[in-house]
Amino acid sequence: MSSSSAFRTVPARADVVIIGGGVMGVSTAFHLAEAGVRNIVVVERGDLGRGSSGKPIGGVRAQFSDPLNIELGSRSLRAFRDFARRPGAGIGLDPVGYLFLLDGAQQASTFEAAVELQNSLGVPSRMISPGDAQRLCPYLSTDGLVAAAYSPADGHARPGRVVQGYARAAARAGVTFATHTAVVGIERAGSRVTAVHTGHGRITCPTVVCTAGAWSARIGAMAGVDLPVRPVRRQVAYTEPLTPPAPRVPFTIDFSSTAYFHNSDDGLLFGLADPGQREGFDTTWTPEWLELFRAVARHRAPALAGMRTAGGWAGLYEVTPDHNALIGRSGEVPGFLYATGFSGHGFLQAPAVGEVVRDLYLEREPFTDISPLSADRFRHGAGVRPEAHVV
């Protein structure tokens, strides 16, 4: 479907209004429509998938340390593998595996425990030696490495194709996409949601689903719901075409520095989480950050340090205090559901989370208990959920 058609006015009423037309919003719309829910409106202030969903690195994995993240990642991987059939789109899935490079005994011990947990949940990950890691990724220098963690089932896909695949299928099922339409307010009567106000009109509705990514705290505030999500810029770059072509390598991450790279078209894609990056909505790409990546590459993958780059982009991570998602239904405003704060894991968990939000809306049990991911966990006395495998 085309995501560029702007509505002059929005529908006057809906059963469900989904705020945010990124991968989480379109997955939710698809799964709701597939389950027979009608009169769904997705409100997106720009084009579909042009916020954080248009900027991720495309990694898909089930290698996490938290069992809920493992389950969400693993179920989503199965959905990505089946995407050509359901909903029916090619997404450029490349199951090259994920390779975490570890340079300390404590790291290795943490990953060993995680691999044991992953294996118990059906994920075929394993610990491997530095030499084995180098055989999988010839660019590597093993100097200082003590071990690596690898799962051959992981890989990367094209986020834009996933967004469009879900959106086209949802549109065929009757979902309305109101693009270039900003949400300016949410109306309540007591604890009930009654309407969403947009720049193109008011939509009467009993249910709102917030999938607004880095902008979710603003949407939550409109409904009186605290969603502790902060925006943090992340940047990536891609090389000029490589001759001879790059070998096919895993999605490779130097865990200590967060530097990562993988194949992309006829070159490589580079990234690194700048530890000095301040919070904010700025998505200006600044090539200077590449020197941080090159400094790591000189030691860990020397051939990459001198590769010429052709460009790059910047996007926003939607970060929560414990780097885990917020998924649930508001206790104070039962008509307000949310799926946000994925801290870099949203794209890879989107298929499973779409199922979960569908089930929350239909008031049936999701495939796994996601109550620990409620936004309420950050209230005084509630426990956070640590996730060690954060990039």
Side-chain angles (χ1 to χ4, degrees), residues 79-315:
F80 284 131
R81 287 193 289 266
D82 193 40
F83 214 89
R85 183 190 66 83
R86 171 182 174 266
I91 58 172
L93 179 64
D94 195 358
V96 291
Y98 249 75
L99 179 65
F100 285 93
L101 308 175
L102 312 173
D103 61 11
Q106 183 58 53
Q107 279 183 10
S109 175
T110 298
F111 272 77
E112 283 170 4
V115 164
E116 186 175 340
L117 176 60
Q118 292 157 16
N119 293 169
S120 74
L121 294 170
V123 176
S125 53
R126 60 182 186 270
M127 299 297 293
I128 61 175
S129 70
D132 288 337
Q134 189 181 53
R135 281 184 279 279
L136 287 167
C137 184
Y139 290 118
L140 296 181
S141 163
T142 59
D143 182 37
L145 290 184
V146 301
Y150 174 67
S151 178
D154 297 341
H156 49 86
R158 299 295 178 120
R161 296 185 190 178
V162 172
V163 170
Q164 288 299 317
Y166 274 140
R168 288 191 181 102
R172 289 194 299 268
V175 173
T176 298
F177 288 88
T179 56
H180 298 271
T181 301
V183 171
V184 296
I186 295 174
E187 192 177 312
R188 283 174 47 182
S191 63
R192 294 186 301 109
V193 170
T194 55
V196 171
H197 291 264
T198 80
H200 292 150
R202 178 179 183 270
I203 309 172
T204 301
C205 63
T207 301
V208 167
V209 182
C210 175
T211 56
W215 297 267
S216 291
R218 297 176 178 181
I219 299 300
M222 292 177 186
V225 177
D226 182 27
L227 297 177
V229 177
R230 301 172 290 113
V232 180
R233 179 173 61 173
R234 290 286 183 259
Q235 303 196 65
V236 299
Y238 53 89
T239 69
E240 293 181 343
L242 297 177
T243 305
R248 187 169 181 262
V249 299
F251 193 127
T252 302
I253 301 172
D254 182 61
F255 190 67
S256 287
S257 67
T258 76
Y260 59 81
F261 58 93
H262 67 68
N263 299 94
S264 179
D265 295 327
D266 46 10
L268 296 173
L269 183 144
F270 300 155
L272 177 142
D274 179 354
Q277 180 64 57
R278 290 181 295 182
E279 294 176 21
F281 288 95
D282 179 20
T283 55
T284 306
W285 187 65
T286 55
E288 297 79 21
W289 74 269
L290 258 171
E291 195 47 48
L292 295 171
F293 178 87
R294 295 192 196 282
V296 175
R298 288 184 193 107
H299 170 64
R300 182 55 60 220
L304 275 57
M307 289 182 180
R308 293 170 61 92
T309 56
W313 64 83

